Amino acid sequence: MSKMPPVVICLDYPKDYGKTYGMNRLYAGVHWAKRKEAAQYWHTAVQAAMRRQGVRRKPFDCPVVITFAWNDRLDLSNEAWVAKMIEDGLKGWVITDDSRKYVHGIRHVTHGRKCIVVVVEPEE
C-alpha cells in the first residue's frame, strides 16, 4: 500500500486577525454568539480554500498529523483557538473527524509566507 501524499492548504489571514482571534481574546470573554460566528467563518474559509485549491474530498484512511504554519504577531500558543476551528473545517473532507483515533498530532510552527499553511499528512 502506497503512502498517501500530504494535503496542503493555504488560508488567507482575515483583516484584524491579531485583534480578533487568539487565546488571549477568547480568555477576555468573547460572547458565545461571536465564538459561533468565528467558527462558522473559519469552517467556511477552510472549505472554500480546499475547493479553490482542488483538495480531494476523501478523508485519510489512517491517523494523521496536522501542522499549522503561522506568520502573524501572535505567540504560537495563542493560535490554538483558530487551529481548532480550522481542524473542525477539515472534518469530513480530509479527516474523518478530529478524535484521537484519526488525529495523532498537532504541530505549530512559524514560516515566512503571508498566509496560514495547513499540512495534513499520514502519521509516520
Side-chain angles (χ1 to χ4, degrees):
M1 181 169 129
S2 64
K3 180 179 172 184
M4 294 176 69
V7 171
V8 179
I9 304 154
C10 298
L11 300 165
D12 294 327
Y13 281 101
K15 185 179 181 214
D16 295 328
Y17 176 82
K19 294 178 183 176
T20 307
Y21 301 102
M23 292 301 292
N24 290 337
R25 175 86 168 117
L26 190 61
Y27 285 141
V30 177
H31 189 272
W32 69 266
K34 287 289 186 189
R35 290 192 313 266
K36 182 177 179 181
E37 182 181 309
Q40 187 58 49
Y41 168 84
W42 284 103
H43 299 167
T44 301
V46 168
Q47 291 173 3
M50 288 190 292
R51 270 189 218 90
R52 264 193 326 274
Q53 295 166 33
V55 174
R56 63 169 173 61
R57 192 172 192 154
K58 181 178 185 282
F60 281 92
D61 58 1
C62 60
V64 300
V65 173
I66 303 172
T67 302
F68 294 93
W70 309 94
N71 185 15
D72 58 67
R73 297 181 64 146
L74 295 178
D75 299 334
L76 284 177
S77 57
N78 263 311
E79 307 287 8
W81 181 28
V82 173
K84 173 62 177 154
M85 292 185 287
I86 292 171
E87 181 185 30
D88 286 345
L90 298 172
K91 291 191 290 190
W93 200 298
V94 296
I95 60 175
T96 301
D97 68 42
D98 58 354
S99 70
R100 292 173 63 170
K101 178 178 179 181
Y102 298 102
V103 179
H104 281 198
I106 303 264
R107 294 184 195 124
H108 294 274
V109 299
T110 60
H111 71 126
R113 293 174 64 187
K114 295 291 183 192
C115 63
I116 302 164
V117 176
V118 182
V119 180
V120 183
E121 57 193 330
E123 181 183 47
E124 292 187 5

